[in-house]
Amino acid sequence: MLEALLNALSPGNLVLALLGVIAGTMIGALPGLSATMAVAVLVPFTFTMEPSSGLIVLGAIYTGAIYGGAYSAILVNTPGTPAAIATAMDGFPMAKRGDGDLAVTLSCLGSVAGGLVGALALLFLAPPLSKIALAFGPVEYFWLAIFGLSLIATLSRGATLLGLIGGAIGLILSCVGSAVVGGDVRYTFGQTALLGGIPVIPALIGLYCVPVLIDMVIRPEAHLEQRAERMAGFRLIEALGLMWRSKFNVVRSALIGTGVGIIPAAGGSVAGLVAYSEARRSSRNSDDFGKGAHDGIIASEASNSATVGGGFIPTLVLGIPGTPPDAIILGALLVQGIRTGPQLFTQQSDIVFTFTFGLIIATLLMLPTGLVIGRYAYKLIVSIPKTALVPAIAFLTFVGAYAIEANTVHVLIMVVLGILGWLAARVGLEASPIVLGLILGPIAEAGFVQGWLIGGAQGDRLGMFFGRPISLAIIALTILTLVSSGIFKRAKQPKEVA
Amino acid sequence: MGPRVKPIIASVIGVAVGIFALSQTAPMSELGRVFPTTAGIIAIVGGVALAALTVLRPVPAASLSEPSDVPRVIATCAVLLGWALLLDPLGFIASSGLSIVALALIARREPMGLKSIAIHLAVGAGLVLLFAFLLSQVLNVSLP
Amino acid sequence: MKKVLMAAIAGLAVGFSSVAIADDSYPSKSITYVIPYNPGGESDVTARFQEQFWKDVTGQDVVIQYKPGAGGATAWSQLGGFDADGYTIMNVNFPHAILQPSMKDVGYQTEDVIPAYVFHYTPDAIVVRADSPYQTLQDLIDFAKENPGALTFGGSGTNSANHLAAVRISEMAGIKTTYVPFSGSAPSMAAVLGGQIGAGMTYTTQGVKAGDQVRVLAIATEERVDIFPDVPTFKELGFDYVAGAYRGVTLPKDTPTEVREKLSDIIGQINAIPAFQQQMQENGYVLVDVPSSDMEAWIEERRADYAAGIEILRGN
């Protein structure tokens, strides 16, 4: 293991890790340019590099790209990846009121903390932890997705019914296309372009970013409020203080992120939402969530960065990749002649340990990189006049929606959903419930259909859905979240629907 | 708009989307129908409940007036839609260049000096070319 | 708004007729290789294996792109829209490309995605968890006979190669089983390893990946494969069943014949490289060589082979 550490610390590998983190962060900051794309482009280079160096670059890019998504979430309310949805919920309100620099620094610290926890879990506990992945069957996925959907109640403060309608619309949108599980072709209107369903990233960009653009155009004031008293700084001391006060939140969110990361097919979006929901439930100031609560950003970022290390656990131990970037890296490992499996961590381990140390180093390098890039990103967004900012952001949304699959239909879907989303928001149907329905719908549906079939085969559907310990625990958490969200209190103080 | 109009519109949207979702489920298989049906029913129930609450509840205080600028909104939407539709016929660089200028004109509030216009144009052109290069040469994404 | 969307999509779908240029020096620039699935699956991994040798064979690069969706149909239905100049090539899988259009309208016909070369197949394999009570295929069949419908087969997708395999094998063995579709091979294997389903109806490659966590009960090849010397073939066990997912490389329909044949040569040359062969075999792939000239007959043979299974699927 020591040899692997020294190998990862060689000057060449350090430079590669730094370059990887910088490139990854910048790519991740642009919505639509994803970790998957960056990693996929780099794979061929790793064929000619030293295997461990190649893997370090891949890991560094991936780590950076997951973090980079926080910038667009905080500064323009546009999560570039589903993993950053929860970051936008509090990050953007903070930026709006002039605390964007603090939000960026908090997201960086949160990510580093979460990333380290995930990577350490990968280093020391991978084989035993991989069992978590196997304990999650279809029914557990179903309940986990329902748990994620219950966050709608939390998000839609006082307007639960509007959230419910939005969530249902999202679920219906998620049904569009040919269902992998079941094979039905639904809601495509005979258009083959819709067979693959509503593409998630273009939908995210459209639903979150187009309304921001339209609002920027119609409001005369600046996009983000600027604090007159001083220029944007790192606000590192302040952020560190906040982190220390939220240490339980940091640890809890990082552990949730690691755990959810281990579950294949759940991924960063679920991790971010679950951690956010738990942070809100256990916070004394739960009413601040959604209005710029520090804990919201910390929870989301610590957990989504922890999924990086967590996600490699099933990838390397079981050969089951959790996310597309994991899958590409797994492919690169196969090409290098590496066999995945528990033995990777006992025999043949050098390359895995070098990779893991590379991941840890990349996470540490993210601290200076993230702070510096974040500061300039913030300054840039604050200081550019709207005449330039509006077209620039619009251009980036187009680039992102197109680039994800080099498909102009995706751009059109992005724009149409964005305009409809803006109109819907005018009558109170916000983007977040719709997006939650869209993202969690397929996980819930696949889990439900599979659970139903398996339960039917075993002749015990009721036991299938309600008789398994993990399922029951998730159901209990869901109920707790719903109760604490206050939907049952709404009759007392009806709030005006904005 | 009266204070009750918005929730009523939202509930009509919910009911309409729900009914539409349900109306399409006939050809689906038994299991494939479950989710669309559930979601459709939730949308309808949510819409009806919202409408009922809105009508029964005492009239709420008028909500804060939101800024509204219909010509600018329509112009922005039109440019975005046109941009998306012109990507293929005009190509990435030309359609982006045109739309960026159009959006800058829409977003403009104060008159701009020649120098400022020149800077904006240069930055815009630089941005488009930079990304065209980044996508096609570095990230291997073929552009229209 | 919907009308606008539909009109727009229809407008885009019409596309542009591309002028194909027959070029002696093909390929004279890098080629885009589209994978119709998410990364990490068999289509991606084999393309990555090919990628390593591509430059040695052609002198040019190959760039891998992913267009996942609808079990491959999203990409295949877009194939006709690409320039027919040989610089966009696509992975195509069988039985998928015969099965999907015969089940419902998926925006393409088998004739639109005829491969220039079919270079390998992943044999169907039934795998169970290492500690499963089923030691042999017969144990599995006996269980299913005693408990009709209670045996669950997990596989990737509905109306897919795995689904077809589950249906055909159940038919041959005279048993009733429940097929549970997953959104890919990886999640279906996770369910096998987690014990949520009885057996995985998957490919040899997944058996290799899972290593000693699983036991492979039978493999649908003509003869035993080297990496699983102890696993019997279905033929040995009395089932006349040789099948799997065949993967080839295809081009837009209007591509000039010379270009199609050149691509066929390139893939054939890579298939002949010993290092490539070794990599493929170690990971559970079985190489086949169907060049462009033999393709018509090969497709007909596939159609005939799948016809009975497709009838059963339609009846479901």
Side-chain angles (χ1 to χ4, degrees):
Chain A
M1 206 188 263
L2 188 67
E3 204 176 318
L5 178 62
L6 291 177
N7 188 11
L9 280 172
S10 78
N13 283 345
L14 278 180
V15 171
L16 284 176
L18 182 63
L19 290 178
V21 170
I22 294 175
T25 310
M26 290 177 142
I27 288 174
L30 302 167
L33 301 192
S34 62
T36 311
M37 194 186 299
V39 173
V41 167
L42 273 170
V43 162
F45 294 101
T46 63
F47 297 158
T48 49
M49 275 186 205
E50 180 82 7
S52 53
S53 305
L55 289 172
I56 287 175
V57 179
L58 291 181
I61 293 243
Y62 182 21
T63 310
I66 293 286
Y67 169 59
Y71 296 145
S72 49
I74 292 170
L75 299 176
V76 276
N77 195 27
T78 304
T81 69
I85 291 173
T87 309
M89 292 173 185
D90 283 287
F92 186 59
M94 265 183 87
K96 199 90 192 145
R97 68 171 186 236
D99 283 331
D101 45 0
L102 181 62
V104 167
T105 301
L106 272 179
S107 73
C108 184
L109 293 176
S111 290
V112 172
L116 283 179
V117 170
L120 289 175
L122 171 63
L123 185 60
F124 293 113
L125 296 169
L129 281 181
S130 66
K131 302 220 160 49
I132 297 180
L134 300 180
F136 264 74
V139 180
E140 283 76 19
Y141 280 112
F142 169 73
W143 287 118
L144 191 63
I146 298 294
F147 179 38
L149 286 170
S150 72
L151 190 58
I152 289 175
T154 311
L155 289 178
S156 46
R157 281 159 282 131
T160 316
L161 285 174
L162 283 168
L164 201 64
I165 297 173
I169 292 175
L171 286 176
I172 293 166
L173 282 177
S174 82
C175 291
V176 172
S178 147
V180 178
V181 173
D184 283 296
V185 175
R186 300 181 295 201
Y187 304 118
T188 59
F189 312 102
Q191 298 293 333
T192 50
L194 289 177
L195 265 182
I198 304 273
V200 169
I201 305 276
L204 269 182
I205 299 176
L207 286 170
Y208 281 109
C209 200
V210 170
V212 173
L213 276 176
I214 296 177
D215 279 343
M216 277 165 77
V217 168
I218 60 178
R219 282 171 205 268
E221 72 268 19
H223 168 56
L224 302 179
E225 196 174 309
Q226 219 174 336
R227 291 263 169 109
E229 64 265 37
R230 50 173 181 72
M231 260 319 281
F234 290 123
R235 297 174 74 176
L236 189 56
I237 307 291
E238 192 181 349
L240 281 170
L242 288 167
M243 286 284 285
W244 179 248
R245 251 184 285 159
S246 303
K247 49 191 174 299
F248 292 116
N249 181 17
V250 174
V251 173
R252 180 184 52 232
S253 305
L255 291 180
I256 289 175
T258 310
V260 176
I262 293 170
I263 306 167
S269 57
V270 176
L273 293 170
V274 170
Y276 182 89
S277 174
E278 285 304 295
R280 183 186 185 278
R281 196 165 58 76
S282 53
S283 168
R284 251 168 286 160
N285 310 317
S286 54
D287 283 346
D288 291 346
F289 277 68
K291 298 175 198 152
H294 307 135
D295 275 327
I297 298 179
I298 295 172
S300 172
E301 283 302 307
S303 61
N304 71 24
S305 290
T307 59
V308 175
F312 279 117
I313 292 175
T315 310
L316 295 179
V317 180
L318 306 172
I320 298 169
T323 63
D326 289 342
I328 299 180
I329 293 175
L330 180 63
L333 283 166
L334 286 179
V335 173
Q336 301 279 7
I338 292 170
R339 289 272 165 287
T340 54
Q343 78 280 358
L344 252 189
F345 289 80
T346 46
Q347 316 141 19
Q348 218 194 4
S349 56
D350 276 2
I351 202 159
V352 171
F353 285 132
T354 308
F355 171 66
T356 313
F357 285 123
L359 212 55
I360 294 176
I361 293 166
T363 310
L364 291 173
L365 288 172
M366 211 155 72
L367 187 62
T369 318
L371 288 177
V372 172
I373 298 181
R375 182 178 179 185
Y376 282 104
Y378 178 62
K379 270 192 182 166
L380 202 65
I381 297 279
V382 172
S383 54
I384 293 182
K386 269 192 177 175
T387 347
L389 196 56
V390 170
I393 291 179
F395 177 62
L396 292 182
T397 63
F398 272 64
V399 168
Y402 174 76
I404 201 90
E405 269 177 39
N407 191 341
T408 46
V409 176
H410 286 185
V411 179
L412 194 61
I413 292 177
M414 186 257 316
V415 171
V416 171
L417 279 181
I419 294 172
L420 292 177
W422 181 78
L423 287 171
R426 300 288 282 189
V427 295
L429 295 168
E430 303 281 347
S432 288
I434 301 177
V435 166
L436 287 192
L438 181 65
I439 289 176
L440 298 174
I443 301 178
E445 180 170 21
F448 173 79
V449 172
Q450 290 156 357
W452 185 262
L453 287 170
I454 297 172
Q458 294 170 352
D460 184 14
R461 290 209 169 105
L462 205 63
M464 190 75 209
F465 281 93
F466 297 98
R468 297 161 62 97
I470 299 182
S471 295
L472 288 176
I474 304 175
I475 296 172
L477 268 181
T478 310
I479 294 172
L480 262 179
T481 303
L482 286 177
V483 169
S484 73
S485 74
I487 49 165
F488 301 116
K489 285 183 263 168
R490 74 182 303 285
K492 281 185 208 156
Q493 39 173 30
K495 281 186 191 167
E496 164 53 4
V497 165
Chain B
M1 263 198 290
R4 280 175 174 162
V5 174
K6 281 186 177 181
I8 293 292
I9 295 177
S11 63
V12 168
I13 293 176
V15 172
V17 171
I19 289 176
F20 174 77
L22 291 182
S23 73
Q24 303 284 307
T25 54
M28 295 176 193
S29 69
E30 205 179 315
L31 275 175
R33 201 181 292 156
V34 176
F35 252 66
T37 310
T38 315
I41 291 174
I42 294 175
I44 294 173
V45 169
V48 170
L50 181 64
L53 270 183
T54 309
V55 174
L56 296 178
R57 214 190 270 168
V59 179
S63 52
L64 292 171
S65 69
E66 282 178 46
S68 168
D69 189 341
V70 178
R72 274 205 168 92
V73 171
I74 292 176
T76 310
C77 294
V79 170
L80 292 177
L81 269 178
W83 190 353
L85 292 173
L86 289 175
L87 270 178
D88 270 326
L90 287 189
F92 178 80
I93 294 180
S95 62
S96 300
L98 277 179
S99 312
I100 283 181
V101 172
L103 280 179
L105 288 176
I106 297 168
R108 190 175 64 110
R109 303 232 166 217
E110 298 91 30
M112 285 160 68
L114 266 183
K115 194 178 158 206
S116 155
I117 293 176
I119 293 175
H120 274 77
L121 282 177
V123 171
L127 195 67
V128 173
L129 294 178
L130 173 75
F131 272 92
F133 174 79
L134 179 73
L135 288 180
S136 62
Q137 301 303 314
V138 183
L139 294 173
N140 292 322
V141 178
S142 52
L143 293 173
Chain C
M1 197 56 77
K2 278 208 179 91
K3 265 190 192 151
V4 175
L5 172 65
M6 278 195 269
I9 292 172
L12 290 173
V14 173
F16 314 95
S17 57
S18 49
V19 186
I21 310 149
D23 185 352
D24 278 347
S25 56
Y26 175 83
S28 59
K29 57 178 184 177
S30 70
I31 286 180
T32 303
Y33 191 169
V34 179
I35 307 297
Y37 294 95
N38 272 316
E42 281 79 2
S43 301
D44 177 39
V45 170
T46 50
R48 292 289 182 190
F49 286 155
Q50 288 175 323
E51 185 182 25
Q52 300 171 89
F53 302 100
W54 194 274
K55 192 147 193 177
D56 298 340
V57 172
T58 67
Q60 295 294 335
D61 287 321
V62 65
V63 174
I64 292 176
Q65 256 184 22
Y66 305 98
K67 273 188 194 288
T74 303
W76 295 324
S77 62
Q78 287 173 20
L79 180 64
F82 291 114
D83 286 344
D85 57 4
Y87 289 100
T88 304
I89 63 175
M90 202 179 267
N91 171 275
V92 62
N93 298 0
F94 294 87
H96 311 59
I98 289 177
L99 205 51
Q100 290 173 351
S102 58
M103 297 301 290
K104 44 190 59 143
D105 176 18
V106 284
Y108 75 95
Q109 293 300 325
T110 309
E111 292 70 38
D112 301 332
V113 295
I114 299 295
Y117 200 96
V118 173
F119 68 104
H120 79 272
Y121 82 109
T122 46
D124 289 337
I126 295 183
V127 301
V128 295
R129 200 155 75 152
D131 61 0
S132 150
Y134 313 123
Q135 297 295 331
T136 63
L137 184 64
Q138 197 57 47
D139 292 347
L140 201 73
I141 293 173
D142 289 344
F143 173 80
K145 281 213 165 115
E146 283 159 33
N147 310 281
L151 176 66
T152 44
F153 273 131
S156 167
T158 304
N159 298 337
S160 62
N162 291 158
H163 193 178
L164 186 65
V167 165
R168 288 174 73 186
I169 291 170
S170 301
E171 172 90 358
M172 283 181 180
I175 53 176
K176 192 171 177 303
T177 57
T178 304
Y179 176 76
V180 183
F182 286 82
S183 58
S185 292
S188 81
M189 283 305 289
V192 171
L193 294 178
Q196 283 98 12
I197 50 174
M201 178 54 78
T202 180
Y203 307 124
T204 45
T205 47
Q206 296 296 326
V208 175
K209 253 196 223 166
D212 50 13
Q213 307 169 83
V214 296
R215 176 165 53 244
V216 183
L217 296 184
I219 293 178
T221 44
E222 294 279 356
E223 278 157 25
R224 291 195 180 196
V225 290
D226 291 343
I227 37 153
F228 291 114
D230 302 328
V231 178
T233 63
F234 280 95
K235 278 202 155 171
E236 286 175 49
L237 299 170
F239 298 95
D240 184 19
Y241 184 69
V242 175
Y246 290 83
R247 293 185 185 80
V249 180
T250 184
L251 293 153
K253 205 178 170 186
D254 309 328
T255 310
T257 320
E258 307 91 85
V259 173
R260 188 173 277 271
E261 279 178 356
K262 280 198 165 162
L263 179 66
S264 171
D265 286 348
I266 292 170
I267 308 290
Q269 282 175 42
I270 295 176
N271 248 19
I273 298 171
F276 175 75
Q277 295 178 341
Q278 192 195 341
Q279 247 179 354
M280 292 284 283
Q281 283 156 2
E282 275 176 0
N283 284 290
Y285 299 89
V286 176
L287 291 162
V288 293
D289 290 281
V290 189
S292 188
S293 48
D294 301 346
M295 199 54 67
E296 213 168 311
W298 185 82
I299 295 275
E300 281 319 307
E301 184 196 318
R302 289 291 102 208
R303 277 189 203 275
D305 191 36
Y306 302 143
I310 290 175
E311 279 314 307
I312 304 175
L313 278 182
R314 276 200 184 130
N316 278 0

